[in-house]
Structures are given as C-alpha cells and as structure tokens.
Amino acid sequence: MTHPVQTKSLTLAKALIVLGALVLVAAGVSSAQVLTQVTHAPTGGVLAFVGIDDAGSTVWATARSNQFGDNPSLSQALFKFDTASGVGSKVSSFDGNVEVVSVSDDGQWIVFGSNADLVGQNADRSFEVFTSRNDLTATVQLTSDTSVTGGSSRFPSISGNGTRVTFFSSSNLTGGNPGGGYQLFIINRDGSGLAQLTNYAPGLEFLAPPSISDDGARVSFASTGNLTGANADNTYEAFAINADGTGLRQLTNGAGDTAFANLSGNGSVV
C-alpha cells in the first residue's frame, strides 16, 4: 500500500510541506505572519506528517534530510524544531526509519511508527508503534507481530492528554483481524487496553493517520471502506467512531475524496 505524503492540520501554528520543505507559519496577525523554513531535504526527500504541541512552541517532523550533518544515509529520521527561532536538531539516532510522529498537547509525550528495534522486541524490523518522552527516554513498543505472515502497525496519533494512542494495523493484534487487512485500533499509552475498533474486509485504505480527541474518547479517520453501507463507490470519506468501538458513522459522502478527517480537541467537530 502506498501513502502519498501530506500534512496534518495544526493549531496555533501550521506546518506546511511546500516544494519539499517544511515551513512554519507563526501565529499572529495575518498581514504580519512570519514564514520560517526549518527543514532542508534533498530533491525527492520525503517529508511526512508533522506534530506540534498545544503551545505552538515545538514542531516534530520526519524527513530524509542531512541538514545537520548527522544523517548521511538520508534515512527517514525524527527531527524537532523551535517555532520561534527555527532552530532544530535530529533527535533519533537509532538504526531504522521513522514514518509518522504525533505529540501530546503538553509536548511531553510523542508517538511514532518505526521499523527500528528500539527495545529489543522488533527483531523482524516490521513497522510498529512506539511511544516515548520527548527526549526519547521511557520508550515503549506498543505493538508487536512476530509471526511469519505478520503485518505492520502504522500511522499512530496520540490524544491531547497523552493517555491514548490510535493507529492502523494489518496485524492480528487482538484475534479479531485474521484476514490481515488494515483495521483501526486504540491502546493506552502504557500498553494496556488494546482494542480493535473496526472489522472491515478486505481492510481499510488510508492516506493519513487517524485523529483522536484530547480525552481519547473519539476517533476520526478517512478511508475508502464501505463501512456503514453509504460508500458504495469506495471514495475516500470521513468517518468517526467512539473509542469503545460504538457509534461508527460516515460523515462525508461526495463524488470526490476526503483525504483527512482531523478531529477538534473536544471531539465535537471533524
């Protein structure tokens, strides 16, 4: 499955991928906004989804960039940047790629997808979901699939309060996904409370991470799945579901595609 790289909507500041460069739009009067380019990726370098804390002070991003001289292999590494100064640094030093990063509102916790073996539980180097403090300590691998035909867990998002993580996975993590299609899951940040939220054959197609409310009670996502019987043409549409697996509903229904379904912090608007 391929996933075109697109940006995630941000509050207080916006991170834009423009011509292969991440640009910060500082909050303020629209006529006096300051644009700061903070990443410098080579031609063809991939800039994936970015995350920002609620104060708008720090942006996290993944990029195939060697702008600080410590990523000569141009691996998909994890970076963070100060939005006021534009000063940044590469924060991942492990052997492996980082696909997506999401940050809690207080900026203390991050969640990311990676094929690295960070805590000795990912010897097969599949893409799995990890969470850690913002200095990459207290790292926990939240998903694991070591079976021969194992899938992968990707595109995680963390709730604003930092307690819950939602993601897509093609692994049979709870016994409810024997077909191996991508389904929507949720888990507590400490690794407890894993639950599968969708059970759709042949599986969900997705372009962007799911979005989760600040309290972790609601999740929204975009998919081509005909999950409620209202998407027979299989276009990308926005869906929402409660974190306990109830209340699945299709929010959009048009001829075109809805690639993102970003949920407001209080969970009331997508």
Side-chain angles (χ1 to χ4, degrees), residues 8 100 102 111 155-159 164-167 209-212:
K8 180 180 180 181
V100 168
S102 176
V111 63
F155 282 32
S157 291
I158 193 169
S159 60
R164 309 200 80 184
V165 176
T166 185
F167 58 94
S211 181
I212 185 168

Side-chain angles (χ1 to χ4, degrees), residues 6-58:
Q6 302 184 49
T7 56
K8 180 180 180 181
S9 297
L10 307 171
T11 57
L12 300 183
K14 294 181 180 178
L16 305 174
I17 296 177
V18 180
L19 299 178
L22 181 66
V23 179
L24 299 180
V25 181
V29 179
S30 60
S31 61
Q33 287 180 339
V34 178
L35 300 180
T36 304
Q37 178 178 324
V38 293
T39 61
H40 303 277
T43 301
V46 177
L47 291 175
F49 299 88
V50 298
I52 192 168
D53 57 29
D54 198 46
S57 61
T58 304

Side-chain angles (χ1 to χ4, degrees), residues 63-250:
R64 296 185 183 277
S65 171
N66 190 31
Q67 65 193 82
F68 303 117
D70 52 0
N71 191 30
S73 65
L74 300 182
S75 63
Q76 188 86 0
L78 183 61
F79 297 80
K80 68 177 179 180
F81 303 89
D82 178 82
T83 59
S85 65
V87 174
S89 62
K90 175 175 170 285
V91 295
S92 59
S93 58
F94 45 79
D95 178 24
N97 292 318
V98 182
E99 185 177 56
V100 168
V101 61
S102 176
V103 60
S104 61
D105 282 352
D106 63 6
Q108 296 303 302
W109 293 96
I110 62 171
V111 63
F112 55 94
S114 177
N115 61 356
D117 188 12
L118 297 181
V119 294
Q121 299 175 7
N122 195 29
D124 63 349
R125 306 301 292 268
S126 57
F127 268 94
E128 304 293 349
V129 175
F130 297 84
T131 184
S132 72
R133 293 189 179 275
N134 59 12
D135 59 359
L136 292 189
T137 62
T139 300
V140 175
Q141 183 174 325
L142 296 179
T143 63
S144 179
D145 189 344
T146 59
S147 62
V148 175
T149 58
S152 58
S153 298
R154 315 181 82 155
F155 282 32
S157 291
I158 193 169
S159 60
N161 64 12
T163 62
R164 309 200 80 184
V165 176
T166 185
F167 58 94
F168 296 112
S169 181
S170 59
S171 296
N172 192 15
L173 299 176
T174 64
N177 191 30
Y182 276 98
Q183 306 294 342
L184 181 69
F185 290 80
I186 194 167
I187 192 171
N188 295 329
R189 195 193 69 224
D190 63 5
S192 65
L194 175 65
Q196 183 176 323
L197 299 184
T198 62
N199 187 9
Y200 175 68
L204 303 177
E205 293 286 338
F206 55 93
L207 292 171
S211 181
I212 185 168
S213 61
D214 285 348
D215 62 3
R218 298 179 183 179
V219 178
S220 64
F221 61 99
S223 174
T224 61
N226 189 12
L227 306 183
T228 65
N231 191 29
D233 59 353
N234 295 117
T235 54
Y236 277 99
E237 302 293 351
F239 296 84
I241 191 170
N242 298 327
D244 62 2
T246 64
L248 176 65
R249 51 211 179 274
Q250 182 175 325

